[in-house]
Amino acid sequence: MTWMKMRRHRVFLLCTVGLCVISFLHYYKALHYVSLLRELSAPYPNIKSFIMVTGFFWKERATPLASAVPEEGPPPALRPSDTKPRAAEDVGGVKGAGELGDAEGLAMEAGEDPGMPRPWVRPEEPPHRDPEATQEQNERQKVTPWHPNQPAAHLRQEVPQVVVVVEELDPTTAPTADPLETMGDLHRRTYQLQNDRTPYFVRTKAGALCFRQGTEVAPPSGQAKVPSPTAAANHGQRQLLQQPMQSQQQAPQHTEEQASTLHGKPRRGKRLVKCVCRPGWHGPYCGVPTMVYHSNLPTKERLTPRETPRRVINAINVNHEFDLLHVRFHELADAVDLFLVCESNFTAYGDRRSMRFLRLLLNGTYDYIRHKILYVFLNHFPDGGRQDGWIADDYLRTFLSRNGMSRVMGLRPDDVFIINDADEIPAREGVLFLKLFDGWTEPFAIHMRKSLYGFFWKQLGSLEVVSGCTVGMLREVYDNDGIRLRRREYYTMPGFRKYENDTGHILVQWSLGSPFHFAGWHCSWCFTPEGIHLKLISAQNGDFPRWGDYEDKRDLKYIRELIRTGGWFDGSMQEYPPSDPKEHMYAPKYMLDNYERYRYLLENPYATSTKLNGG
């Protein structure tokens, strides 16, 4: 009798185990695509994950989180060679980067040209819909599909079977065609780097080699010396101390002798061969800015000027950060030799979007810097990016660096590569130092002043982001992958030791600036309320909670209140140290010089409002 009971229990146990195995296999696909632990640990779990899992019971059609091909999972690594052949061709070479014959990559909706900085029209806030069901319904009703990333004011409802062509005007009111149709081979062109022949250094009569911008220059004979600006005179604002426009032959003859006299040093005895530095510059050549002087660079005593300046390549991805893009170009115009600017016709969430930067590039908005821009076009969305937003976020940087750098001709291993987000702006002085001096190590990070919604909400500390290295290290250690550079894991890369042995350099990461001496600016969510709304609904599907999924968080009145108070979307309030537009490194110089144009980022536009306007 006891043996029969044991047998029944054994059969029941085996059946239970079998049911568990079947259940696990049944839900394997869902577990493969979504990290349930991450979803459940978030303060506000994404309801779409629950819909996707429960959909297996009732066999409903795919949700926005479901993959179009469930059998295909996200790639195991971010290297394009591990993904589909099309992605590999697009990243590894130039041919696949958005050919005009690719109908899928070129499909886009008509959007309003944002032109120069101005507010957007307030978008409507419809709930998220099933994209496949919406497409089927639209095909039956013959209407134009609408995606969340397109403002409602841009829509044009079409009469059935009638094609409506929307013509857009540039700032000169001349009609412009679809930018993708007029782009030609812009996204496949190569760029030939040239040597920078700017005379950054001067040699004094006594033989000292001095950095022009950082050295006190005596006036010509018979003229009184103009006092250098002081902290009281400039009210703490950052000063770009430029040498007066004099003849390059006259300045070196008077620099050393008269500079010594101006500082009260007698001429008798042995004459010291050195440069007299202006405020904010240090070192024997007066070429080390304060942000480097107070950094953790371990080789400061071995810094020497270069005979030939390095070329600097700055790579960025752009969405709708056009105000900050103008600021970046003006801040770094004479320090950066080439800007790699990547734009996609997909948002980070995977929706179609208009090619706004391309339109501005073609209509002349960036003509003042266009000779230094190499346009990179990402015409597809990575596999698995809709299910895991970090795949899409990382792939943007991978494509930018690999496609962009493959089209740059004449590179030298010691040239500098810097990759930033669009809201990260390095200071000009730090980039010039990297360009002009030998002796610093790599990779390097940048300490940036942190601010939220505008430069008026200054956050404590600094944001330290690994941002750059030499082109040689990018190739040999990081495999030309920008996201690997940002991850601080160079010592685990296969080519790390080989590169270190080949160059003879000990690779030690360091940072420009410090938490108290900023080397750039990071302005997070620095848009108008309409721009913040657009960022919310375009955000990638991985940084949970995804605030764009909540209707109340997308309300413009709510967003204005966040800007006014400095609060966050979860209802928390931060502590902000006092800040003033006159303080050192408050904002980039171009913004301060164009204060009225950027007032909404330099001063809280709702600080004195007693009543917020609805809208």
Side-chain angles (χ1 to χ4, degrees), residues 145-316:
W146 181 80
H147 297 281
N149 61 307
Q150 295 294 334
H154 295 169
L155 299 179
R156 300 289 190 272
Q157 184 171 358
E158 299 179 354
V159 180
Q161 299 181 352
V162 175
V163 178
V164 178
V165 179
V166 180
E167 295 185 356
E168 302 187 18
L169 301 180
D170 63 10
T172 61
T173 70
T176 58
D178 188 326
L180 290 175
E181 296 178 356
T182 59
M183 177 170 58
D185 64 345
L186 182 65
H187 59 300
R188 292 191 293 266
R189 295 177 186 173
T190 60
Y191 188 96
Q192 180 66 43
L193 276 180
Q194 303 294 333
N195 287 333
D196 186 352
R197 304 189 182 280
T198 305
Y200 292 101
F201 291 88
V202 295
R203 190 169 293 279
T204 67
K205 185 177 181 180
L209 187 65
C210 304
F211 180 55
R212 284 178 176 272
Q213 181 180 333
T215 304
E216 288 283 7
V217 179
S221 301
Q223 296 184 12
K225 176 181 179 293
V226 179
S228 59
T230 62
N234 59 37
H235 301 286
Q237 295 188 24
R238 183 168 66 108
Q239 297 293 322
L240 298 182
L241 301 177
Q242 303 287 353
Q243 174 183 343
M245 297 302 295
Q246 303 173 4
S247 170
Q248 297 181 8
Q249 291 76 18
Q250 294 180 356
Q253 297 176 1
H254 299 277
T255 301
E256 169 61 21
E257 297 180 359
Q258 296 191 21
S260 300
T261 305
L262 292 172
H263 286 255
K265 295 182 180 180
R267 295 188 180 183
R268 63 180 181 273
K270 184 177 180 180
R271 184 166 49 190
L272 296 178
V273 181
K274 68 174 185 178
C275 309
V276 180
C277 299
R278 289 176 171 175
W281 297 93
H282 311 270
Y285 310 99
C286 297
V288 178
T290 298
M291 60 188 66
V292 175
Y293 184 76
H294 291 284
S295 71
N296 63 345
L297 177 63
T299 57
K300 295 176 184 176
E301 70 282 356
R302 296 201 295 267
L303 298 175
T304 56
R306 292 175 56 90
E307 294 183 3
T308 302
R310 291 185 175 92
R311 282 80 57 86
V312 179
I313 298 97
N314 186 203
I316 51 175

Side-chain angles (χ1 to χ4, degrees), residues 89-90 93-99 187-188 377 379 399 403 407:
E89 294 175 2
D90 290 343
V94 182
K95 180 178 180 180
E99 282 81 350
H187 59 300
R188 292 191 293 266
F377 175 39
N379 71 333
F399 185 90
N403 180 274
R407 295 160 51 196

Side-chain angles (χ1 to χ4, degrees), residues 286-472:
C286 297
V288 178
T290 298
M291 60 188 66
V292 175
Y293 184 76
H294 291 284
S295 71
N296 63 345
L297 177 63
T299 57
K300 295 176 184 176
E301 70 282 356
R302 296 201 295 267
L303 298 175
T304 56
R306 292 175 56 90
E307 294 183 3
T308 302
R310 291 185 175 92
R311 282 80 57 86
V312 179
I313 298 97
N314 186 203
I316 51 175
N317 288 286
V318 63
N319 185 21
H320 63 290
E321 304 87 355
F322 302 115
D323 287 17
L324 295 180
L325 198 61
H326 278 291
V327 175
R328 172 187 300 274
F329 288 155
H330 284 88
E331 173 73 16
L332 301 176
D334 59 348
V336 170
D337 297 85
L338 177 62
F339 293 96
L340 299 178
V341 184
C342 180
E343 183 179 31
S344 176
N345 56 345
F346 289 91
T347 67
Y349 189 67
D351 293 325
R352 297 278 183 171
R353 63 177 296 271
S354 298
M355 309 293 290
R356 293 183 174 93
F357 175 74
L358 176 59
R359 191 180 301 276
L360 296 175
L361 189 65
L362 295 177
N363 73 11
T365 301
Y366 296 105
D367 278 356
Y368 64 92
I369 198 68
R370 184 170 178 176
H371 63 287
K372 288 190 175 184
I373 295 177
L374 185 63
Y375 183 73
V376 180
F377 175 39
L378 175 58
N379 71 333
H380 59 275
F381 195 69
D383 295 332
R386 192 65 178 262
Q387 289 75 36
D388 186 350
W390 294 112
I391 292 178
D393 192 70
D394 292 351
Y395 185 77
L396 284 172
R397 298 181 178 92
T398 299
F399 185 90
L400 164 63
S401 55
R402 285 183 170 165
N403 180 274
M405 294 299 285
S406 69
R407 295 160 51 196
V408 181
M409 305 293 106
L411 283 168
R412 293 194 297 259
D414 61 349
D415 288 334
V416 180
F417 175 82
I418 302 175
I419 184 169
N420 301 123
D421 288 345
D423 57 3
E424 301 168 357
I425 304 176
R428 170 184 177 273
E429 293 87 346
V431 177
L432 271 180
F433 165 80
L434 299 171
K435 183 185 185 79
L436 300 177
F437 279 85
D438 280 332
W440 48 267
T441 64
E442 54 181 328
F444 57 84
I446 300 177
H447 280 281
M448 301 185 184
R449 180 189 189 272
K450 296 192 300 182
S451 53
L452 181 66
Y453 305 135
F455 294 87
F456 42 85
W457 287 124
K458 176 184 177 181
Q459 297 175 310
L460 294 171
S462 66
L463 178 68
E464 184 184 19
V465 182
V466 178
S467 303
C469 63
T470 63
V471 170

Side-chain angles (χ1 to χ4, degrees), residues 538-593:
S538 303
Q540 52 110 327
N541 188 40
D543 192 8
F544 295 107
R546 187 177 183 271
W547 300 114
D549 292 336
Y550 302 89
E551 183 177 358
D552 58 326
K553 306 298 182 182
R554 304 193 303 265
D555 182 70
L556 292 183
K557 185 176 181 180
Y558 173 80
I559 295 174
R560 293 190 189 101
E561 182 67 12
L562 290 182
I563 297 176
R564 186 184 73 84
T565 62
W568 187 238
F569 292 94
D570 61 359
S572 63
M573 295 294 297
Q574 302 183 37
E575 293 185 5
Y576 297 98
S579 62
D580 190 291
K582 297 178 181 179
E583 73 182 33
H584 181 66
M585 293 292 289
Y586 179 82
K589 182 177 183 297
Y590 179 75
M591 299 187 75
L592 298 174
D593 291 344

